[in-house]
Amino acid sequence: MTGKKPATGAIVHDAPVSFPAGETHWGSDPVAAVLRAVGVPYIALVPGSSYRGLHDSIVNYLGNRAPQMILTLHEENTVAIAHGYAKASGRMMAAAVHANIGLMRSVMAVYNAWCDRAPVLMLGATGPWDANRRRQWIDWIHTSADQGGMIRNITKWDNQPASPAAAMEALLRAAQIARTAPQGPVYVNLEVAMQEEKLGPLPSLPDPARHAVPQAPRPAPELVTAAAKLLSGAKHPVLLMGRCTRSVEGWKERVALAEKLSAPVLTNIKTAAAFPTDHRLHAAPPGAYLAKEAEPLVAAADVILSLDWLDLAGTLKQACGDKPIAAKVIHVSCDAHSHRGWSMDHQGLPPVDVYMMCETDAAVPLLLDAVSPRKGEARIPQAEPLPAPSKEAVSMRGVAIALEAATRGVDVCYTRFPLGWNGAYSHFRHPLDYIGHDGGAGVGSGPGMTVGAGLALNGTGRIPVAVMGDGDFLMGNTAVWTAAHYKVPCLMIVCNNRSFYNDERHQGRMARDRGRPEENRWIGQRIADPDVDIAGMARMMGGEGIGPVERPADVQPAIEKGLAAARAGKAVVIDARVLPGYDNRG
């Protein structure tokens, strides 16, 4: 490692040996220059010969700065890091994968970014398109016809430019499309011979300001008026706050709108923090599905405002069953622009009376100005009692209590909660308190996304904290090496029940429904015999491993130790041996 340990707020920079710039340039040099011009700060990658030209340009032409390489050990983590960075920062970074083989290994992470509407600039490469230039065997198996077709259904756009000039334009277009709402991943495939073409002087670079992201459209005035009239006159309005930006201004405007309308608010744990969960108008803990106590609230509503709510149709059906939706529904979302036929991530088709095809941050301030203060009182359901922690063993509830105590007075950003987490265990009071789940519900994204969030948050004083299952950690654990190498601070608390427990539940239900022995549900599910040393895995990759933690009294000290190490710039993993079971009602 050529870089040195940085001062607080900087990550390790692998500094190349400098040399005088020459007059000769290569096809990949203008590609690298455009990456810098469009503001790409980092490029996560697993190296490969198919983009050796671009690799050289980033190191020896750009000096491994803007973008700086972030080396990863698996392509899923490559894309997951870029995904997590976007969620925590609102900005886009790049991810590079090697030829068709690297692209195939990255697909689950691409799907996560697609479902989560996260901007990721993916760069790939292919062997020489001219068959006469392919090396024996290896270039043939690393070259595919229509390589972008492998992920075309889960990207907003892809392209395989045939010249450096076309590559510059492709990158400008890709960066623009990825960051235009609804955001999403894009893929530019760089043919190896094009990268290695000798150019002489550097071609004229385009002005990125002339290819910027378009201004977010505003809803039509008549739609704002119609929505404001419904909300102002509602007797029982409900606000569903879904996919919103990390903007503090947008957060305050959403709070002001709810208060002006005196309307109960619901949020979802699949999406990032959109409203303070301990606010008097927050009606129920955020969960993956509508909380049971919130179902009557939605069913009795006369006006529902959906701010890009994820699965609006499913939520209405859960609350109302087969009965007609009596409420007037106002839907603010431009997500339909990304709805396709291959993936069903668009969910069901909801009934809508006023449809604003725009981003939530564009509509909320207009609604805030247009609505009249509502005189009615919000009906807030009584909260369900929380389960008691186990006194004999580590439980999910015990981890939550210890975490709340250990983080008191510490700015953290939660990057993941496991399936069994109760949404009432943690309160979100800032848009960066929680960045939401991964979008596609693919196990293994937690570590990479946490490291990406750490990249985005480094220097802010806010520590990324992931509470994840053991299956999630084990599939993506090599991200710990990346965090340790670059001194990206983060804390991963693995709620280790030594099982793919969600599927244990499924198998138990299947056996029970068929009149077969439910006791066999563990077979093909348990991660035991031999036991996995999760803390040891972290230590072997240069991180700090704590545990296994098996006594309730040891949980809070372990978290406090982990937070102190993370604040000192370390990647920390705690192996918390929790009891199997779910504390939520989802």
Side-chain angles (χ1 to χ4, degrees):
M1 183 173 69
T2 57
K4 296 181 180 180
K5 184 175 179 179
T8 302
I11 69 165
V12 164
H13 176 242
D14 294 332
V17 175
S18 60
F19 69 99
E23 293 297 323
T24 300
H25 291 83
W26 307 86
S28 53
D29 288 348
V31 174
V34 171
L35 288 176
R36 171 175 286 177
V38 297
V40 174
Y42 301 108
I43 179 167
L45 55 85
V46 173
S49 61
S50 62
Y51 64 88
R52 63 196 177 199
L54 178 62
H55 195 125
D56 172 79
S57 294
I58 293 173
V59 172
N60 290 318
Y61 176 55
L62 298 184
N64 196 28
R65 291 280 195 192
Q68 175 183 340
M69 291 183 180
I70 303 296
L71 180 62
T72 73
L73 306 183
H74 195 286
E75 284 83 356
E76 276 198 49
N77 280 332
T78 300
V79 179
I81 286 172
H83 184 180
Y85 182 89
K87 286 174 75 72
S89 69
R91 301 187 303 274
M92 179 187 69
M93 65 174 277
V97 296
H98 166 46
N100 49 11
I101 55 172
L103 182 62
M104 285 187 271
R105 279 194 292 256
S106 74
V107 171
M108 183 63 242
V110 181
Y111 184 63
N112 282 334
W114 167 258
C115 291
D116 205 31
R117 308 301 186 242
V120 176
L121 176 56
M122 286 189 64
L123 299 178
T126 182
W129 199 240
D130 182 351
N132 289 323
R133 302 182 66 172
R134 291 179 196 149
R135 293 174 294 160
Q136 182 181 358
W137 180 67
I138 191 68
D139 276 347
W140 289 82
I141 61 172
H142 286 176
T143 302
S144 301
D146 192 22
Q147 193 163 291
M150 285 193 282
I151 56 171
R152 187 164 297 137
N153 286 313
I154 51 175
T155 52
K156 288 188 71 179
W157 185 74
D158 71 274
N159 190 246
Q160 184 173 316
S163 69
M168 289 192 290
E169 180 178 306
L171 287 176
L172 289 169
R173 188 189 300 271
Q176 187 181 68
I177 289 174
R179 294 178 294 178
T180 299
Q183 298 181 330
V186 292
Y187 179 65
V188 178
N189 188 28
L190 305 170
E191 195 255 0
V192 67
M194 182 276 294
Q195 297 176 57
E196 299 176 15
E197 178 185 346
K198 190 172 183 178
L199 300 180
L202 188 72
S204 297
L205 296 178
D207 179 3
R210 304 188 72 180
H211 306 278
V213 176
Q215 184 177 356
R218 293 157 63 91
E222 60 268 26
L223 294 179
V224 176
T225 300
K229 183 178 180 180
L230 288 173
L231 290 166
S232 300
K235 294 182 178 179
H236 305 297
V238 172
L239 309 186
L240 304 178
M241 296 196 180
R243 287 182 286 220
C244 301
T245 70
R246 309 278 58 74
S247 160
V248 173
E249 182 181 2
W251 175 277
K252 292 178 178 178
E253 288 169 341
R254 291 191 293 275
V255 172
L257 179 63
E259 290 177 345
K260 192 172 183 179
L261 292 170
S262 187
V265 173
L266 296 171
T267 60
N268 190 299
I269 207 163
K270 295 191 292 291
T271 54
F275 191 85
T277 53
D278 57 355
H279 192 283
R280 61 181 175 81
L281 292 173
H282 196 272
Y289 303 98
L290 192 63
K292 291 294 182 184
E293 60 266 34
E295 289 180 4
L297 190 70
V298 174
D302 57 348
V303 178
I304 294 172
L305 172 62
S306 161
L307 297 180
D308 205 8
W309 183 260
L310 185 61
D311 191 14
L312 177 58
T315 298
L316 295 175
K317 185 174 183 179
Q318 180 188 340
C320 302
D322 295 329
K323 297 178 181 177
I325 309 301
K328 294 292 185 181
V329 178
I330 305 163
H331 190 39
V332 180
S333 174
C334 59
D335 196 60
H337 288 308
S338 286
H339 294 174
R340 308 270 187 90
W342 180 84
S343 170
M344 302 298 118
D345 65 278
H346 48 65
Q347 311 294 322
L349 184 65
V352 174
D353 300 284
V354 179
Y355 195 163
M356 300 184 195
M357 181 67 82
C358 65
E359 296 174 79
T360 57
D361 279 11
V364 169
L366 300 177
L367 289 172
L368 179 59
D369 287 341
V371 298
S372 301
R374 207 179 65 85
K375 296 179 181 179
E377 287 295 320
R379 298 185 301 175
I380 305 299
Q382 185 174 357
E384 292 281 338
L386 294 175
S390 170
K391 295 180 180 179
E392 289 75 34
V394 178
S395 63
M396 201 84 79
R397 176 62 176 142
V399 170
I401 292 171
L403 185 60
E404 194 279 331
T407 57
R408 206 166 291 149
V410 180
D411 283 335
V412 300
C413 172
Y414 289 111
T415 62
R416 181 59 48 93
F417 290 116
L419 283 174
W421 194 259
N422 189 313
Y425 286 170
S426 301
H427 282 301
F428 313 137
R429 304 177 178 98
H430 185 278
L432 278 175
D433 280 354
Y434 175 57
I435 62 171
H437 211 268
D438 62 13
V443 179
S445 63
M449 291 181 65
T450 301
V451 176
L455 269 179
L457 297 170
N458 201 22
T460 67
R462 189 179 284 268
I463 300 297
V465 176
V467 187
M468 66 181 72
D470 47 325
D472 195 9
F473 176 80
L474 290 172
M475 287 192 188
N477 67 85
T478 60
V480 173
W481 180 89
T482 299
H485 176 80
Y486 294 101
K487 301 294 188 291
V488 177
C490 57
L491 173 60
M492 304 178 197
I493 303 170
V494 181
C495 291
N496 182 5
N497 58 23
R498 284 82 71 205
S499 172
F500 287 100
Y501 184 72
N502 184 54
D503 289 288
E504 273 203 50
R505 294 176 69 191
H506 280 290
Q507 293 309 130
R509 189 180 303 115
M510 183 63 62
R512 187 170 60 252
D513 290 347
R514 294 179 175 186
R516 294 171 178 174
E518 191 176 349
E519 295 82 3
N520 292 332
R521 71 181 196 173
W522 67 273
I523 296 174
Q525 311 286 355
R526 297 281 171 89
I527 308 172
D529 193 23
D531 187 50
V532 179
D533 185 358
I534 284 176
M537 293 175 73
R539 287 190 291 269
M540 285 189 296
M541 287 185 284
E544 180 158 337
I546 300 173
V549 180
E550 299 177 299
R551 298 192 313 153
D554 295 335
V555 178
Q556 185 175 333
I559 295 174
E560 290 172 347
K561 180 181 177 182
L563 281 169
R567 295 177 80 174
K570 294 185 178 181
V572 188
V573 177
I574 298 174
D575 180 2
R577 299 298 179 93
V578 300
L579 294 168
Y582 284 0
D583 288 3
N584 56 28
R585 298 177 303 282

